């Protein structure tokens, strides 16, 4: 087991040293549970090597105290896991790769308290990769557990070769991440649009209007997952036709490229009930409001 503490120079004058230590305040310090940093002259333990790497972080682009602790815990937990399986922190490449495979499985499908989300796992892999590259350059390690492939990154028209760590898990881009609402909130939201109280009875204090429209559009947004800008600019003739027979399976709902983010056409899905509600609104409320009105567009609009 490896112990971790945060360095403090308070009272250093009584430590029998001539100068104040150069260790930054709040820097994590790792030590084996027998409180020894070496096994003899020239036999430095891995924890002491990790401490040297940690002390160089502020000069290596990691100035945050909070980040130091994150880096230290990542290496500490990795080293402890390897020790449990009889693998050294600076072992051969074959044994380190085998340890990494077992560690990845442990963090993905192991006990719930030990599992990592994809982003957390990728962060740990990045930290461990930095540590092993440093250890290789400094001569402490002869191998690392990671495998890389070459890739070309392009930014602002300029390309450069980069190395991609194959141990990093792929994560969806933020704009395609799906977020689901709680069922209780959905029920409350749908009733509110219809002017109903949480228990489903008529809300006597409701002062809104166009409840049929609100309910239809609300169900449309919930069923299809359209963005606000998309269902706001959706035109009546862009609504897919209602099947003649009610269907239990979702109905394809094409989304025109003119209203989507990035101007890319895509197809989403809608339930029969939600689509029927939209068609009821289009055929009744909109026709009653539009066909029964004497309003016509100004003549000057025709020239535009």
């Amino acid at each position: 087991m490896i112990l971790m503490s945060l360095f403090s120079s308070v009272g250093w004058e009584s430590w029998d040293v001539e100068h104040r230590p150069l260790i930054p305040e709040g820097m994590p310090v790792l030590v084996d549970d027998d409180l020894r940093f070496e096994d003899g002259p020239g036999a430095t333990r891995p924890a002491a090597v990790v401490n040297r790497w940690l002390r160089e972080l502020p000069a290596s682009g990691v100035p945050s105290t909070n980040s130091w602790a994150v880096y230290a815990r990542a290496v500490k937990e990795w080293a402890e896991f390897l020790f449990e399986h009889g693998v050294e922190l600076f072992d051969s490449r074959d044994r380190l790769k085998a340890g990494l495979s077992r560690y990845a499985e442990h963090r993905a499908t192991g006990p719930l308290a030990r599992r990592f989300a994809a982003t957390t796992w990728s962060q740990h892999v990045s930290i461990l990769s930095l540590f092993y590259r440093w250890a290789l350059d400094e001569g402490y390690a002869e191998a690392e557990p990671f495998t890389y492939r070459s890739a070309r990154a392009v930014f602002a028209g300029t390309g450069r070769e980069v190395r991609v760590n194959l141990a990093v898990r792929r994560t969806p881009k933020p704009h395609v991440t799906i977020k689901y609402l709680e069922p209780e909130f959905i029920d409350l939201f749908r009733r509110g649009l219809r002017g109903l109280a949480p228990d489903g009875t008529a809300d006597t204090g409701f002062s809104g209007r166009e409840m049929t429209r609100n309910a239809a559009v609300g169900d449309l947004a919930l069923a299809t997952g359209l963005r606000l800008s998309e269902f706001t600019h959706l035109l009546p003739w862009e609504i897919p036709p209602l099947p003649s027979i009610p269907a239990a399976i979702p109905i394809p709902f094409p989304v025109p490229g003119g209203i989507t983010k990035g101007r890319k056409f895509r197809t989403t899905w809608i339930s029969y009930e939600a689509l029927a509600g939209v068609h009821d609104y289009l055929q009744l409320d909109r026709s009653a409001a539009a066909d029964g009105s004497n309003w016509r567009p100004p003549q000057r609009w025709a020239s535009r």
Side-chain angles (χ1 to χ4, degrees), residues 101-131:
S101 294
R102 177 68 180 87
Y103 191 56
E105 183 270 338
H106 173 69
R107 290 301 194 182
T109 61
L112 288 177
R114 310 304 299 168
R115 294 183 188 181
F116 280 163
T119 52
T120 305
W121 167 255
S122 297
Q123 180 190 51
H124 274 235
V125 166
S126 177
I127 293 171
L128 294 176
S129 178
L130 290 174
F131 168 69

Side-chain angles (χ1 to χ4, degrees), residues 72-104:
R73 290 193 186 95
V75 180
K76 173 181 179 293
E77 293 173 3
W78 162 247
E80 290 176 335
F81 182 86
L82 291 179
F83 179 77
E84 292 176 1
H85 293 79
V87 181
E88 299 293 333
L89 186 62
F90 301 124
D91 217 314
S92 66
R93 176 167 172 79
D94 288 343
R95 289 178 61 80
L96 287 174
K97 289 180 64 177
L100 179 64
S101 294
R102 177 68 180 87
Y103 191 56

Side-chain angles (χ1 to χ4, degrees), residues 9-300:
S9 62
V10 176
W12 70 268
E13 296 85 355
S14 62
W15 295 352
D16 194 25
V17 294
E18 185 177 355
H19 302 287
R20 181 192 180 284
L22 292 174
I23 304 175
E25 292 291 324
M27 175 61 64
V29 178
L30 304 185
V31 60
D32 294 335
D33 53 7
D34 61 0
L35 304 182
R36 298 178 61 180
F37 289 104
E38 59 183 17
D39 293 318
T44 302
R45 290 189 177 182
V49 176
V50 177
N51 289 335
R52 180 187 167 189
W53 172 67
L54 292 172
R55 290 196 296 271
E56 294 183 9
L57 289 178
S60 302
V62 188
S64 171
T65 305
N66 293 334
S67 296
W68 302 342
V70 172
Y71 279 50
R73 290 193 186 95
V75 180
K76 173 181 179 293
E77 293 173 3
W78 162 247
E80 290 176 335
F81 182 86
L82 291 179
F83 179 77
E84 292 176 1
H85 293 79
V87 181
E88 299 293 333
L89 186 62
F90 301 124
D91 217 314
S92 66
R93 176 167 172 79
D94 288 343
R95 289 178 61 80
L96 287 174
K97 289 180 64 177
L100 179 64
S101 294
R102 177 68 180 87
Y103 191 56
E105 183 270 338
H106 173 69
R107 290 301 194 182
T109 61
L112 288 177
R114 310 304 299 168
R115 294 183 188 181
F116 280 163
T119 52
T120 305
W121 167 255
S122 297
Q123 180 190 51
H124 274 235
V125 166
S126 177
I127 293 171
L128 294 176
S129 178
L130 290 174
F131 168 69
Y132 275 104
R133 298 310 301 173
W134 173 89
L136 287 168
D137 292 340
E138 296 295 329
Y140 291 109
E142 297 181 355
E144 63 173 315
F146 303 109
T147 302
Y148 302 88
R149 66 175 175 84
S150 297
R152 185 170 181 80
V154 179
F155 179 76
T158 302
R160 63 185 180 89
E161 296 295 326
V162 297
R163 294 199 318 164
V164 179
N165 193 325
L166 298 183
V168 173
R169 297 182 199 166
R170 298 186 63 182
T171 56
K173 296 180 180 180
H175 73 275
V176 298
T177 300
I178 300 176
K179 297 182 180 179
Y180 296 95
L181 300 175
E182 295 294 334
E184 294 81 3
F185 176 81
I186 292 177
D187 291 340
L188 185 65
F189 176 69
R190 295 180 70 245
R191 289 172 181 170
L193 291 176
R194 289 165 168 79
L196 303 177
D199 60 0
T201 60
D203 185 355
T204 56
F206 183 78
S207 58
R209 56 191 181 89
E210 302 293 345
M211 290 180 288
T212 302
R213 179 199 62 189
N214 297 343
V217 175
D219 289 348
L220 169 70
L222 290 171
T224 61
L226 294 179
R227 297 180 176 88
L228 174 62
S229 60
E230 292 173 342
F231 69 74
T232 299
H233 297 93
L234 196 65
L235 300 176
W237 45 84
E238 292 171 339
I239 303 296
L242 184 68
S244 57
I245 301 176
I249 61 175
I251 300 168
F253 193 104
V255 186
I259 62 174
T260 60
K261 185 175 181 179
R263 302 296 180 181
K264 295 181 180 180
F265 171 85
R266 76 175 192 277
T267 299
T268 184
W269 305 88
I270 189 171
S271 65
Y272 180 88
E273 292 76 13
L275 184 59
V278 175
H279 277 278
D280 286 344
Y281 166 64
L282 293 176
Q283 294 174 8
L284 299 176
D285 283 14
R286 286 185 61 87
S287 61
D291 295 345
S293 174
N294 295 324
W295 183 88
R296 294 293 183 270
Q299 185 65 32
R300 63 177 183 276

